[in-house]
Amino acid sequence: WSSDVCSSDLLTKEIYTASYDDPTPDYDSPDSVKVVAVAHTDPANATSTAADSIPVFYNLFVKSEADASRVTKIVQEQFNKLLPVHRPVYVNSIGAELPYLNETEHETILLGRYDTAAKYVTLKSLWEYCNKPGHAQKKVVYLQSMGSFKATQTKGKLRRFLTAGALSEQCAAMTGDQCNICSSRFFPVPHPHTPGNMWLAKCDYVKRLIDPE
């Protein structure tokens, strides 16, 4: 989806010193889509609570109720990196329900519940938000619950590394004359992309991308 060329504010040295020669795939859920509940809120029609707020679009996957406790720790770990400017957190929940979403102190809005789905449902929500009139100068963050499908040490390290970058003060302070996408790392080959697929971007860049669906 991120096929256009962009600049990146690389934060590797400031966040984490490890590198990954073979990044784990950025998917944790099946490709088929089965809607369980219609979206509760349409982010394309939402207005920000503050002009400088940065909405976060979070793709959550819980394989089964037995995984809920483990995945809750992943979500808590990522949400603990949120800055005051990161609000609200729009969530698409795939698989089993996660009670923590109703308990967290963070401003969280459930967009939809799915039995099975692919991550494009959340990328689509982000894309629609950026295409709303007046949002061109907004910044948005995309996060995912990496490791929720299958927990490995490598995925855990990569998730923490990517989350720290996407939610960093450096990315939040990114200005238009610097770059239009910010993440812990950025690769130019085989095409410009952020391995692991967690990032902050400006809406005027996202608007130029094709519909992720």
Side-chain angles (χ1 to χ4, degrees):
W1 187 49
S2 52
S3 58
D4 203 358
V5 177
C6 59
S7 301
S8 178
D9 181 11
L10 296 178
L11 306 169
T12 305
K13 293 182 180 179
E14 297 183 31
I15 296 173
Y16 197 66
T17 56
S19 62
Y20 298 86
D21 295 326
D22 184 21
T24 55
D26 67 349
Y27 51 85
D28 260 335
S29 54
D31 291 332
S32 60
V33 176
K34 180 180 179 182
V35 180
V36 172
V38 178
H40 299 276
T41 302
D42 182 357
N45 294 326
T47 56
S48 301
T49 56
D52 61 348
S53 66
I54 301 175
V56 176
F57 290 79
Y58 190 74
N59 194 87
L60 171 65
F61 176 74
V62 185
K63 187 177 181 180
S64 67
E65 291 184 3
D67 292 304
S69 177
R70 179 178 62 84
V71 177
T72 294
K73 293 179 181 179
I74 292 176
V75 178
Q76 289 175 327
E77 171 196 282
Q78 292 182 292
F79 280 19
N80 283 340
K81 292 292 184 181
L82 292 167
L83 300 174
V85 73
H86 293 129
R87 64 185 192 277
V89 180
Y90 293 112
V91 180
N92 274 313
S93 179
I94 303 168
E97 292 189 52
L98 196 70
Y100 175 71
L101 293 180
N102 298 319
E103 303 166 0
T104 177
E105 62 183 11
H106 300 285
E107 184 183 348
T108 305
I109 299 173
L110 183 64
L111 296 179
R113 273 268 300 112
Y114 302 84
D115 188 5
T116 59
K119 293 180 180 174
Y120 77 78
V121 296
T122 305
L123 292 170
K124 173 81 170 183
S125 298
L126 182 150
W127 183 79
E128 290 178 340
Y129 176 90
C130 284
N131 274 277
K132 182 183 177 183
H135 283 184
Q137 299 306 310
K138 293 286 295 182
K139 300 171 188 173
V140 289
V141 171
Y142 175 76
L143 295 179
Q144 55 172 306
S145 57
M146 178 181 288
S148 59
F149 180 70
K150 182 179 181 181
T152 66
Q153 185 176 19
T154 299
K155 281 193 174 185
K157 289 182 177 180
L158 183 57
R159 179 185 65 249
R160 290 188 286 272
F161 173 61
L162 297 174
T163 301
L167 298 180
S168 67
E169 293 182 1
Q170 294 94 329
C171 280
M174 179 185 72
T175 60
D177 57 352
Q178 291 177 313
C179 47
N180 49 30
I181 186 169
C182 186
S183 64
S184 295
R185 61 179 182 167
F186 182 85
F187 283 5
V189 292
H191 53 78
H193 69 293
T194 59
N197 202 21
M198 292 194 226
W199 36 264
L200 175 146
K202 288 195 63 179
C203 276
D204 59 357
Y205 167 70
V206 175
K207 288 178 61 176
R208 305 205 313 266
L209 303 175
I210 61 174
D211 185 332
E213 190 174 2

